[in-house]
Amino acid sequence: MKISKLLLSSVLLAVALSGCATPPAPMTISDTTAATPQLSTLTKLINDAGLTETLKEPGPYTVFAPTDEAFKAVPAKTLEALSKDKALLISVLTYHVVPGKVTSADVKNGPVTTVQGTPVSLYRSGNFVTVENAVVTTADVDASNGVVHIIDQVLIPQAKK
């Protein structure tokens, strides 16, 4: 009798505790990049550019997010220019953002216009996706206001003539 009461109490406690667990709230793109260790440079630049709140808005947005390693490959002179020119920084960062939610399965080969206003070329073959010359290394990181694709290069828009 004592064992069955103990077993029943344990089962009831487990059921009660599992009912109390609430699933985590979906994170915005800003929160998602901030919570991803390999995107710390991008997160800092988003903050520096004043785009954190924008990337918390409903969107939806698709962000092609360069890793810290991708930023290490950018010439120091270019990074210095970005740190000194907020408009240039915003231009480069918004070149990584496409309006709407484009999952890897939704990618159609060809150009798509970025938030910055200049098109980028997307390409998909099976599960392999690229944006310009950058390879998507982690696709479809879901966010409450869109999707993040982690890429291996920083995209730099061509200077307007």
Side-chain angles (χ1 to χ4, degrees):
M1 183 78 166
K2 281 187 175 183
I3 292 178
S4 62
K5 280 186 178 181
L6 181 60
L7 181 60
L8 179 62
S9 295
S10 297
V11 169
L12 290 175
L13 180 61
V15 169
L17 289 176
S18 68
C20 292
T22 55
M27 296 191 304
T28 65
I29 288 172
S30 279
D31 297 332
T32 300
T33 59
T36 307
Q38 69 195 36
L39 300 178
S40 62
T41 303
L42 177 64
T43 300
K44 178 190 178 314
L45 293 174
I46 288 170
N47 290 334
D48 291 351
L51 295 173
T52 302
E53 291 306 312
T54 301
L55 292 175
K56 288 184 178 187
E57 292 175 1
Y61 305 106
T62 299
V63 174
F64 295 97
T67 63
D68 294 342
E69 288 300 313
F71 278 103
K72 286 179 184 173
V74 173
K77 188 175 180 177
T78 302
L79 286 177
E80 184 179 337
L82 292 174
S83 71
K84 292 180 178 179
D85 185 343
K86 188 174 178 178
L88 180 61
L89 177 59
I90 290 170
S91 176
V92 168
L93 292 176
T94 57
Y95 188 62
H96 290 79
V97 181
V98 173
K101 183 175 181 176
V102 181
T103 65
S104 60
D106 297 332
V107 169
K108 306 245 184 301
N109 296 342
V112 62
T113 302
T114 65
V115 169
Q116 185 256 10
T118 306
V120 291
S121 293
L122 298 181
Y123 176 79
R124 178 174 64 96
S125 179
N127 292 329
F128 181 77
V129 177
T130 62
V131 54
E132 294 293 313
N133 293 325
V135 174
V136 174
T137 58
T138 304
D140 303 324
V141 180
D142 204 33
S144 62
N145 60 342
V147 64
V148 176
H149 301 291
I150 299 174
I151 60 175
D152 67 351
Q153 291 182 28
V154 176
L155 307 174
I156 305 289
Q158 296 294 320
K160 293 182 181 179
K161 296 177 183 179

